[in-house]
Each structure stands twice: as C-alpha cells, then as structure tokens.
Amino acid sequence: YSASVDFSVSNTQSINATGVDLSFYQQFRFNNKLTLSLNTQLEDRKNNFGFATIVNDSVLVGLRKRQTITNTFVIKYNFTNMMGLNLRVRHYWSEVKYNQYQNLDKFGNVTNVNTNANANYNVNFFNVDLNYTWQFALGSFININWKNQISNFDKLVGDGYFKNLGNIVQANQANSFSIRVIYFLDYLDLKRKK
C-alpha cells in the first residue's frame, strides 16, 4: 500500500482571490498480478478571474467561483509478464459561477458592467478505458482497446458533485473499439534468410 497527499493554497491580494488544491493518491498492490489505485483531485477557486462571454462585440470577463473535482480509479491485472489488462474509470466535474462581470477593452483595461449575461457553466466528463495488451514476441504487441466517453455541458450550477455524477451516467455515450497489432521486423534476420 502506498499513499500521498498534496495540498496548496494561493492568494491574489489585488482581487482578493484564493485557491485551494488538494490531491490524494492511494495504491493497493495485492500481489504481482493485481494493483488498484484511486486518485482524487479537488480544486476550489474564489474570485478567480477569467473570460466569461462576448455580448454585442464586447468581451466580458469576470470574477467567479470555480470548483473542480476529478476522480480516477484504475485496476491493473497482469496474467503473465507479457500479458495484462488495464481498466481506467475517470470522472471530471467542474462548475463555474460568476459573481461579477467586467468589460475588457482593446487596451486590456476592465470596467465593472451590469449585464443579464449568464456565463455560468457546469461540465462533466466520464470516461472508461479497458485495454488488453499481449507481447507475443520481442517488440511485438497486440492491443485491444475499448473506450466509453460520456460528456455533458449545461448551465445548471449548484447541484454539487454527487448529483452530477448520478446524472452523467444517464447522458448519451460514445463508444469505440480498436485492435492494433505491432510486429517487430529485424532487417538483419531477413537479410540472412536470403
């Protein structure tokens, strides 16, 4: 078992902005064949400054609250030292809620503005990757890969992480399946056979 924690805090006094980052990584290695890992990353920004939208040819920026949570779960299973299976499940959620809009002029100056613009957003990505790899000869591989991707972008802020996780698995999915064969040819062996 191994684990690590990273924590950082940032502060921008000119706009009273704060940021907190926390990541937690755990890995369970049960034996030479099976390993599980979980990585959680949290980002919380208050008074974060960024692009909002364009209204009537005016660029709006603003101060916003931004929260991001990423969870990644990985299972690795090695059948032999030449063959293995890898499952990776990842959910990314980010929510941005603007509390003040400003107009950005062509010189880079900003001025407060009252607007009905709604640049708030809520975004989710849920990915599942399943990979099978077999090294059948020196430098030669067969890779079989299945990918499932679900994404959602809306303006429904305030629902929180767990409600978004429940909603994302019901959204439309995109699946792909691929087989790739890589075969190593040694030119010297081919030349000797002639």
Side-chain angles (χ1 to χ4, degrees):
Y1 175 78
S2 65
S4 66
V5 176
D6 292 321
F7 178 75
S8 65
V9 177
S10 61
N11 185 4
T12 306
Q13 292 182 356
S14 62
I15 56 174
N16 197 26
T18 59
V20 175
D21 292 338
L22 175 66
S23 68
F24 183 61
Y25 177 78
Q26 301 179 82
Q27 180 173 310
F28 303 89
R29 185 172 178 190
F30 295 99
N31 51 42
N32 289 339
K33 295 186 178 284
L34 179 63
T35 304
L36 304 176
S37 62
L38 175 64
N39 186 11
T40 300
Q41 296 175 308
L42 309 167
E43 297 177 21
D44 187 38
R45 304 284 187 271
K46 291 185 176 99
N47 279 343
N48 176 256
F49 182 79
F51 172 79
T53 189
I54 297 176
V55 176
N56 300 330
D57 295 329
S58 295
V59 176
L60 295 183
V61 295
L63 297 177
R64 58 198 183 175
K65 177 179 172 71
R66 184 167 59 92
Q67 292 179 300
T68 302
I69 299 175
T70 306
N71 280 304
T72 307
F73 179 68
V74 178
I75 300 174
K76 292 181 183 179
Y77 187 81
N78 295 319
F79 300 102
T80 67
N81 62 346
M82 308 292 258
M83 184 186 309
L85 195 63
N86 185 355
L87 173 68
R88 181 178 180 265
V89 179
R90 176 181 176 264
H91 178 235
Y92 170 91
W93 169 71
S94 186
E95 177 182 84
V96 173
K97 186 173 184 179
Y98 283 85
N99 53 35
Q100 181 182 355
Y101 292 100
Q102 298 172 326
N103 187 48
L104 177 67
D105 68 21
K106 63 182 179 180
F107 302 107
N109 300 314
V110 293
T111 53
N112 289 338
V113 64
N114 289 326
T115 179
N116 292 331
N118 180 5
N120 299 339
Y121 67 84
N122 180 56
V123 64
N124 284 272
F125 294 102
F126 188 83
N127 302 88
V128 178
D129 299 318
L130 181 63
N131 302 300
Y132 168 80
T133 301
W134 175 30
Q135 183 178 352
F136 60 90
L138 184 62
S140 301
F141 298 89
I142 293 177
N143 295 316
I144 301 173
N145 183 279
W146 170 69
K147 292 180 180 275
N148 175 272
Q149 188 243 336
I150 308 170
S151 61
N152 184 41
F153 182 90
D154 59 39
K155 294 190 175 283
L156 302 175
V157 297
D159 285 344
Y161 177 79
F162 290 105
K163 186 161 185 183
N164 276 279
L165 178 60
N167 291 340
I168 189 67
V169 296
Q170 299 171 10
N172 292 332
Q173 302 179 22
N175 289 282
S176 66
F177 181 78
S178 64
I179 299 174
R180 182 172 62 172
V181 178
I182 302 168
Y183 189 76
F184 176 71
L185 293 173
D186 189 343
Y187 174 75
L188 296 178
D189 281 347
L190 294 174
K191 188 175 177 185
R192 279 187 226 127
K193 290 181 182 178
K194 289 183 180 180

